[in-house]
């Protein structure tokens, strides 16, 4: 440019000067960006770097715990997959952290260091989730085992009380209707109790028996409670109808048949039969 000015060659000089100014402005912009990158990097990298180191130490601690916990709980496929995933993600974290070390020691541009730091920060979140899933898996196994132990005690007490309540109705057919259900319940209680009594605990089997037992007890409780209420209601209704038995032959016949239904645990049919015969001779709402 200077030489062109000296020999008075001005053609195309303006374009050349503009090009030079663009490059100067571009360099100035890059320098400003580098300053901003430097400020952001220096303010954040120590915290992020330390967090990455802490996660690596936490991972090592959790991996040591698996030796102890494997003596308590049977390590299944899910746990192994979570452990492998955590290992993979932690190794990836270590590689990124070492690369950042190299960029720092080599005094590389802050743009490169900042990009690598952001990559490290993103990987930290991935590792945190992987470690938490691995750790939560063991906590779930512990919680499930404790819940199963509580259910064994709770289900035993509940089934005994329900069985007693059914027996107290003194309806043989009703007791017979629930015999298989109670037997199945006690069998599941025994199976679940055996599984949680021996280590390492097979949590998959614990969960299987736990779900089956909980569902069964809930169903028996619902069905037995309803059946007992119907039995009590049927008995009282027949007793109420007995006051009309001597007066009306139809009531007498239906009550006799309803009693047979009652002892056969066919309560809905007995109730319907008595009500149908009574409504012609009295207001059933008096009984209700």
């Amino acid at each position: 440019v200077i030489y062109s000015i000296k020999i008075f060659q001005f053609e195309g000089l303006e374009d050349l000067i503009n090009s030079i100014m663009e490059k100067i402005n571009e360099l100035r912009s890059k320098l400003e960006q580098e300053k901003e990158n430097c400020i952001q990097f220096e303010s954040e990298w120590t915290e992020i770097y330390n967090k990455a180191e802490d996660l690596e130490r936490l991972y090592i601690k959790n991996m040591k715990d698996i030796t102890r916990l494997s003596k308590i709980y049977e390590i299944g496929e899910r746990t192994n997959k979570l452990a492998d995933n955590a290992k993979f993600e932690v190794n990836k974290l270590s590689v990124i952290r070492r690369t950042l070390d190299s960029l720092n020691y080599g005094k590389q541009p802050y743009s490169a260091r900042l990009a690598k730091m952001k990559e490290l920060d993103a990987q930290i979140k991935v590792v945190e989730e992987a470690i938490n899933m691995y750790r939560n898996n063991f906590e779930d196994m512990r919680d499930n085992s404790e819940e199963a132990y509580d259910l064994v005690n709770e289900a035993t007490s509940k089934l005994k009380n329900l069985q007693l309540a059914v027996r107290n109705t003194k309806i043989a057919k009703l007791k017979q209707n629930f015999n298989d259900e109670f037997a199945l319940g006690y069998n599941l209680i025994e199976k679940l109790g055996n599984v949680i009594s021996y280590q390492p605990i097979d949590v998959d089997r614990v969960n299987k028996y736990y779900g089956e037992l909980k569902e069964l007890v809930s169903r028996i409780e619902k069905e037995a409670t309803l059946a007992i209420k119907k039995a009590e209601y049927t008995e009282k209704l027949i007793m109420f109808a007995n006051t009309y038995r001597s007066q009306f032959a139809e009531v007498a016949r239906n009550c006799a048949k309803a009693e047979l239904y009652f002892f056969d645990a066919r309560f809905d049919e007995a109730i319907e039969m008595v009500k149908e015969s009574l409504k012609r001779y009295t207001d059933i709402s008096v009984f209700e």
Side-chain angles (χ1 to χ4, degrees):
V1 175
I2 296 174
Y3 176 74
S4 296
I5 293 173
K6 283 182 179 181
I7 62 174
F8 302 101
Q9 290 183 0
F10 301 111
E11 186 177 349
L13 189 60
E14 184 178 354
D15 291 339
L16 183 58
I17 291 172
N18 288 338
S19 175
I20 292 172
M21 289 304 297
E22 281 183 22
K23 291 180 180 179
I24 291 172
N25 289 333
E26 185 179 339
L27 287 172
R28 184 180 290 118
S29 177
K30 286 183 178 180
L31 284 172
E32 287 299 320
Q33 185 61 54
E34 189 69 1
K35 287 180 182 178
E36 292 178 11
N37 291 341
C38 175
I39 292 171
Q40 183 179 357
F41 180 81
E42 293 295 343
S43 66
E44 297 178 9
W45 88 274
T46 300
E47 180 182 351
I48 293 174
Y49 190 91
N50 289 342
K51 195 168 186 179
E53 284 189 317
D54 290 342
L55 274 177
E56 289 182 43
R57 284 191 287 267
L58 178 62
Y59 168 74
I60 293 171
K61 178 182 179 299
N62 278 284
M63 287 302 104
K64 287 181 179 178
D65 286 345
I66 195 171
T67 303
R68 174 179 59 84
L69 292 169
S70 63
K71 296 177 182 178
I72 303 174
Y73 305 106
E74 191 170 297
I75 306 302
E77 183 179 354
R78 170 177 165 77
T79 304
N80 286 326
K81 284 184 177 179
L82 291 173
D84 289 343
N85 181 61
K87 181 180 181 180
F88 173 81
E89 298 299 348
V90 169
N91 286 340
K92 188 176 177 180
L93 180 79
S94 298
V95 171
I96 298 171
R97 187 173 64 81
R98 288 196 297 270
T99 303
L100 182 57
D101 283 339
S102 298
L103 293 174
N104 279 334
Y105 294 145
K107 304 296 182 182
Q108 296 299 310
Y110 280 102
S111 56
R113 289 192 252 180
L114 182 62
K116 188 57 64 175
M117 184 191 73
K118 289 181 177 179
E119 185 181 349
L120 182 64
D121 191 34
Q123 185 61 19
I124 282 171
K125 295 178 175 61
V126 174
V127 170
E128 283 178 331
E129 182 178 0
I131 291 177
N132 284 336
M133 288 181 67
Y134 173 78
R135 188 164 51 193
N136 290 342
N137 179 65
F138 279 109
E139 291 177 359
D140 288 344
M141 286 195 285
R142 180 198 63 199
D143 292 344
N144 290 350
S145 298
E146 291 177 355
E147 288 175 4
Y149 179 82
D150 291 339
L151 181 62
V152 166
N153 295 324
E154 177 188 335
T156 301
S157 175
K158 190 166 287 188
L159 287 183
K160 285 183 177 178
N161 289 335
L162 287 169
Q163 194 171 28
L164 179 61
V166 170
R167 285 174 180 169
N168 286 341
T169 64
K170 295 181 172 54
I171 303 173
K173 181 64 175 179
L174 184 60
K175 289 188 287 183
Q176 183 182 335
N177 287 348
F178 283 97
N179 279 343
D180 290 343
E181 298 284 63
F182 283 122
L184 178 58
Y186 290 127
N187 181 254
L188 282 172
I189 287 172
E190 183 179 4
K191 287 181 177 179
L192 184 55
N194 288 336
V195 173
I196 61 177
S197 297
Y198 297 99
Q199 296 182 349
I201 298 171
D202 185 342
V203 181
D204 287 340
R205 289 179 65 203
V206 168
N207 292 338
K208 177 180 181 295
Y209 294 143
Y210 177 91
E212 291 177 3
L213 179 59
K214 196 169 184 65
E215 188 278 330
L216 179 66
V217 172
S218 176
R219 178 160 52 82
I220 292 176
E221 182 176 30
K222 181 179 179 180
E223 292 176 359
T225 301
L226 180 61
I228 291 168
K229 285 182 179 178
K230 285 184 176 181
E232 293 173 347
Y233 180 85
T234 305
E235 186 175 23
K236 290 177 181 178
L237 181 62
I238 291 174
M239 290 176 66
F240 173 76
N242 281 339
T243 58
Y244 298 88
R245 215 165 177 169
S246 60
Q247 302 174 51
F248 307 105
E250 180 187 358
V251 175
R253 287 195 303 271
N254 286 346
C255 279
K257 194 168 184 179
E259 286 176 346
L260 295 177
Y261 284 155
F262 173 78
F263 287 110
D264 198 37
R266 295 161 64 182
F267 306 121
D268 289 332
E269 294 172 77
I271 291 169
E272 182 63 25
M273 178 164 287
V274 174
K275 282 187 174 182
E276 188 64 27
S277 64
L278 284 177
K279 71 180 183 180
R280 299 177 61 182
Y281 305 107
T282 185
D283 184 3
I284 190 65
S285 64
V286 175
F287 170 75
E288 299 289 351

